[in-house]
Amino acid sequence: MVFKWPSEWRDSDAMSYFISDFASTAVRPSRKLNFWSNLICAVCQYRKSPFVSISELKRCLAWRGVAPQCLEGVLEEMHNQKTVLKLEKLTETWSQWGLGVLVAPLTSVWRRFVIDTSEQKFVVISVLEECRSNLMSSVHYNDNLLFTIQEWNELALTFIHPNNLENLNTYLVFRCDIAVYGDPVSLVKVKAANKKTVSDISQIDIAIGKAKMTKSILSTQVKELSTKVNELLSAARKAKNKNEALSHLRRKKLYERSLLKREGALNNTESLLLQLQESQHNKTVLSTLKVGAEALKQNKVSLSEVDDIMDQLDEYKSYEDDLNSAMTSLDTTTDSDIGLSEELASLLAEDSEPPAKKQLQTREVIDLTEDTPDNSSFHDNSSFHDNSSFHDNSSFHDNVLTSEELEELYSIQQELENAPAPPVQLDRSQAAREEFDDVEHPVEREAPPKEMTARLSPELRRKPGRKLVGILLE
């Protein structure tokens, strides 16, 4: 990935101002300070190198071959703000560091920041913390807390420059993130994710570390011997005479014997390593079970407390049952309920009528009163389709038929169906008849005979405007 320089890097006028030294040490423009401080952090992050010197910064930040003249002043301001520290100050305790943050603004008036040499190392705190965070996250993700020094260095080099590896390990030991064993260091143990400090290295950890180192050495030897055997076999095939070929084969036999021994030792070491790791895992599980047992012992509930709680629940339940029975025993019957009961009885009586009587639903409205003068008014259905007159709420209840009236209408309907009547003569002009014949029309119903109308009861005759409903079966 190519480093992305700021936009001012391509502006000659802006860079002429930025690479120049500060005109006064008392007042330093914030624009120039922010530009170089942000650029120093970005370059160190890109190079994975939080430990830098003045000479390295001048080489990295040279613009068109010209080194910035204000780097000492920028580092001084960053040092006062505790974003940059001298390497020898890195291992100060956190209390001393916090005290320095408070005292620095007061002492900076008379104590000038001094750079001993151009090779003096400085630490960019933000970049160092980012490298540390990435490395610890990778370890916790793999859930492996014990490493040989070779394994640890290979993992750490993915997050930091090789020149800064030793300083990073020193910082991690100071922060109690790792513990080292051996002189020289041969084993590294990382603290767990939920712990504040790393646990001590136990005898099992030491045994596992030695087994890992032995396994690594034997694996390397097996690879080398396998390569040597293949080379000797190839040389024997290419030999120019028999004696040279036999010499290569004798050496191949020797390497094969050594290879078999190394492979056997490697298998035994791997078996021992698995047993040690299983033992450590069992120890961790046992420790977890002990902690869980102690927690259960502290949170146990006595049997007498459970009995008391159950008795209280039974008492409350009986009280609720008595309360519900008392509330349901109240007489809530009122006059309105009695009226509703009578209405329900009448509805049930209507539902129990014969199905033929229930078919007397409203399909057509036939005016069978004495006011019907002729058949033409009998076939006038305009009053039936007129929703305003049919659904008039003021006269609707006066036109409701009783069961006796329905019986009478039903008998008249039966006689109308059985007794044929002469067809109705319609008075139409010749043009109207031709037009009428061309269009399909439903069969016109016959008018009821006047003698059928005369058979209506006097009660029906005395009801003015009564609309009697009859169903003509199709």
Side-chain angles (χ1 to χ4, degrees):
M1 185 177 64
V2 181
F3 180 74
K4 184 178 181 181
W5 295 93
S7 59
E8 293 86 352
W9 199 259
R10 295 182 294 273
D11 189 348
S12 301
D13 296 336
M15 290 307 301
S16 299
Y17 164 73
F18 284 132
I19 64 175
S20 62
D21 197 359
F22 293 105
S24 173
T25 57
V27 179
R28 291 167 176 164
S30 59
R31 181 188 176 192
K32 184 182 291 187
L33 288 174
N34 293 334
F35 174 81
W36 286 115
S37 60
N38 293 335
L39 188 56
I40 289 172
C41 293
V43 169
C44 291
Q45 184 179 15
Y46 175 77
R47 298 176 68 241
K48 298 180 182 179
S49 178
F51 304 93
V52 293
S53 62
I54 290 289
S55 59
E56 291 175 348
L57 289 177
K58 286 184 178 181
R59 285 195 302 269
C60 294
L61 302 179
W63 180 76
R64 296 180 181 178
V66 180
Q69 303 299 318
C70 58
L71 283 182
E72 288 83 356
V74 173
L75 288 176
E76 181 179 356
E77 285 295 330
M78 295 178 70
H79 182 270
N80 294 336
Q81 298 174 4
K82 294 298 180 182
T83 57
V84 166
L85 290 177
K86 291 183 178 180
L87 181 59
E88 58 268 18
K89 298 290 185 179
L90 182 63
T91 55
E92 288 183 350
T93 61
W94 295 113
S95 59
Q96 293 173 340
W97 195 0
L99 182 62
V101 173
L102 297 176
V103 176
L106 301 177
T107 58
S108 61
V109 176
W110 63 84
R111 181 174 56 84
R112 180 170 176 78
F113 176 78
V114 179
I115 300 177
D116 299 333
T117 62
S118 60
E119 299 298 327
Q120 184 178 5
K121 290 286 184 179
F122 293 89
V123 184
V124 182
I125 301 300
S126 60
V127 180
L128 178 61
E129 283 296 324
E130 182 180 358
C131 294
R132 168 186 169 271
S133 177
N134 294 336
L135 178 58
M136 299 300 293
S137 299
S138 176
V139 172
H140 295 153
Y141 178 78
N142 296 324
D143 198 20
N144 181 22
L145 303 180
L146 194 63
F147 299 87
T148 62
I149 189 63
Q150 293 82 6
E151 294 173 342
W152 174 256
N153 289 339
E154 289 177 3
L155 178 62
L157 287 176
T158 59
F159 302 100
I160 198 165
H161 194 273
N163 295 337
N164 301 149
L165 180 59
E166 183 178 355
N167 293 329
L168 176 64
N169 288 335
T170 303
Y171 177 67
L172 293 176
V173 172
F174 169 72
R175 288 290 305 269
C176 298
D177 290 332
I178 62 173
V180 295
Y181 171 80
D183 189 17
V185 176
S186 59
L187 192 63
V188 176
K189 187 175 183 180
V190 185
K191 74 174 182 180
N194 56 348
K195 301 293 183 180
K196 293 183 179 180
T197 58
V198 62
S199 59
D200 296 333
I201 297 178
S202 62
Q203 293 297 324
I204 296 180
D205 295 333
I206 296 173
I208 291 175
K210 289 183 176 180
K212 284 185 175 181
M213 288 187 290
T214 304
K215 177 185 174 181
S216 176
I217 294 172
L218 290 174
S219 299
T220 304
Q221 292 178 356
V222 167
K223 290 180 180 178
E224 291 176 354
L225 289 173
S226 299
T227 304
K228 193 66 176 178
V229 168
N230 294 330
E231 289 177 356
L232 291 173
L233 182 61
S234 177
R237 289 175 179 174
K238 297 178 182 179
K240 297 181 180 179
N241 53 60
K242 182 178 179 180
N243 293 331
E244 184 179 357
L246 290 175
S247 176
H248 290 308
L249 291 177
R250 290 190 192 98
R251 294 177 60 193
K252 183 179 78 67
K253 287 291 182 181
L254 293 175
Y255 282 109
E256 285 179 348
R257 292 172 189 171
S258 180
L259 178 60
L260 290 176
K261 293 179 181 180
R262 296 297 188 276
E263 288 179 346
L266 180 60
N267 292 334
N268 294 333
T269 304
E270 289 179 346
S271 177
L272 176 62
L273 180 60
L274 290 175
Q275 292 177 4
L276 291 172
Q277 291 176 344
E278 187 68 21
S279 174
Q280 189 179 36
H281 177 71
N282 293 336
K283 182 181 178 181
T284 304
V285 173
L286 181 60
S287 174
T288 305
L289 293 177
K290 287 181 179 180
V291 174
E294 291 294 332
L296 291 175
K297 188 184 296 183
Q298 294 177 2
N299 296 331
K300 68 178 181 179
V301 181
S302 62
L303 185 60
S304 59
E305 293 180 358
V306 175
D307 293 336
D308 294 339
I309 293 173
M310 296 305 296
D311 293 339
Q312 293 177 6
L313 291 176
D314 292 339
E315 182 180 355
Y316 183 74
K317 185 176 182 302
S318 61
Y319 171 75
E320 288 289 334
D321 294 340
D322 295 340
L323 182 62
N324 292 332
S325 61
M327 293 178 66
T328 54
S329 62
L330 296 176
D331 186 10
T332 57
T333 305
T334 58
D335 296 340
S336 60
D337 294 339
I338 297 174
L340 293 175
S341 300
E342 293 177 355
E343 184 177 354
L344 178 60
S346 63
L347 291 175
L348 292 175
E350 293 178 1
D351 292 340
S352 61
E353 292 177 358
K357 295 181 181 180
K358 291 183 180 180
Q359 292 179 358
L360 296 176
Q361 306 294 332
T362 305
R363 294 184 181 177
E364 288 183 341
V365 178
I366 305 174
D367 192 359
L368 299 179
T369 59
E370 293 178 352
D371 298 334
T372 306
D374 52 11
N375 295 332
S376 61
S377 63
F378 176 78
H379 292 280
D380 186 7
N381 294 332
S382 61
S383 60
F384 173 75
H385 297 286
D386 188 2
N387 294 330
S388 61
S389 62
F390 183 74
H391 294 286
D392 188 4
N393 294 332
S394 62
S395 62
F396 177 75
H397 295 287
D398 295 336
N399 294 330
V400 175
L401 299 179
T402 62
S403 58
E404 291 81 2
E405 295 171 346
L406 289 174
E407 289 281 353
E408 185 176 355
L409 287 176
Y410 181 69
S411 62
I412 295 174
Q413 179 188 355
Q414 295 295 329
E415 293 184 13
L416 285 174
E417 292 178 353
N418 297 330
V424 179
Q425 300 295 331
L426 300 177
D427 186 11
R428 296 189 179 92
S429 62
Q430 184 64 25
R433 284 197 299 271
E434 292 178 356
E435 182 181 1
F436 184 81
D437 293 336
D438 293 339
V439 181
E440 294 184 359
H441 292 274
V443 179
E444 297 182 354
R445 301 192 181 276
E446 300 172 354
K450 292 185 178 181
E451 58 270 15
M452 294 297 179
T453 310
R455 291 179 52 191
L456 296 176
S457 61
E459 290 78 4
L460 292 176
R461 293 172 178 275
R462 286 195 297 270
K463 294 182 180 180
R466 172 60 60 90
K467 299 293 185 177
L468 302 180
V469 181
I471 298 177
L472 301 180
L473 300 176
E474 298 178 5

